[in-house]
Amino acid sequence: MATLVKSHHTPSLRSMMEDFRNKDRFFDKLSVNGELLPAVNIRETKNHYKLEVAVPGFKKNDFNITTEDGMLTISAETSKEEKEEKENYTRREFSCSSFTRSFKLPDNVEEDHISANYQNGLLELELKKSGKNTSSKKQIKVD
C-alpha cells in the first residue's frame, strides 16, 4: 500500500480516506476560506485509486483536471445568464460557480494513466497504480 503525505491545506488521498473511515462529519460540506468545496469519496483497489466528486450543475467542458509536480488538481467554473425583456419590464438573472480541489499523489500513481468521466453530476477519476511498492514504513532494529 502506498504512503500518501498530508500537507497543509492540500489533503492527500490517504488523509481523505482516513476522514471517510473515521469521522461522521466527512459528509458535511467542506469549506476553505469560506469557499464551499464538493464532497469527494476516495476508494483504493489493488490496481487503482478511484475518486468520486459530487459536482452537479456543471458540464464536461467546465472541468480542468491537471497533474503537476505530484499534485492532482481538479477545478471547474461555470456561469449562466438568463435575460427576458417585455414591454413593461426586464428580468435578468445570472449565477456563477467554481471550485478547486488539489491532492498530493502517491509515488505509485502513473500520471499518464488517469482517466475521468462526468455523468449525472458525478465526476469519476481513476488513477492507475504503477505496481511499485512505495511504502516508507520500516521496522528499525535496536542494537
Side-chain angles (χ1 to χ4, degrees), residues 4-20 25-26 30-32 37-40 42 51 70-74 100-106:
L4 304 175
V5 178
K6 185 175 184 176
S7 62
H8 186 61
H9 296 294
T10 305
S12 67
L13 295 176
R14 173 77 62 216
S15 69
M16 293 291 290
M17 286 191 302
E18 288 170 358
D19 283 346
F20 177 73
R25 68 170 195 62
F26 179 78
L30 299 174
S31 174
V32 174
L37 300 176
V40 177
I42 301 172
L51 280 73
M71 295 292 291
L72 171 69
T73 301
I74 304 167
T100 300
R101 298 281 320 249
S102 295
F103 304 91
K104 179 148 179 61
L105 294 172

Side-chain angles (χ1 to χ4, degrees), residues 2-88:
T3 300
L4 304 175
V5 178
K6 185 175 184 176
S7 62
H8 186 61
H9 296 294
T10 305
S12 67
L13 295 176
R14 173 77 62 216
S15 69
M16 293 291 290
M17 286 191 302
E18 288 170 358
D19 283 346
F20 177 73
R21 288 186 204 125
N22 300 327
K23 297 181 183 174
D24 291 334
R25 68 170 195 62
F26 179 78
F27 292 103
D28 292 346
K29 295 214 181 244
L30 299 174
S31 174
V32 174
N33 298 326
E35 178 185 355
L36 289 177
L37 300 176
V40 177
N41 291 328
I42 301 172
R43 292 184 296 138
E44 182 178 5
T45 67
K46 181 179 178 183
N47 299 316
H48 297 89
Y49 293 101
K50 296 184 179 190
L51 280 73
E52 297 174 331
V53 186
V55 284
F58 289 89
K59 297 178 192 142
K60 289 180 183 183
N61 59 353
D62 293 334
F63 294 100
N64 184 29
I65 303 169
T66 61
T67 59
E68 183 177 358
D69 297 327
M71 295 292 291
L72 171 69
T73 301
I74 304 167
S75 62
E77 185 173 340
T78 187
S79 61
K80 181 178 175 182
E81 183 175 337
E82 293 182 25
K83 187 174 182 178
E84 179 181 358
E85 293 187 25
K86 297 280 183 172
E87 188 174 311
N88 297 333

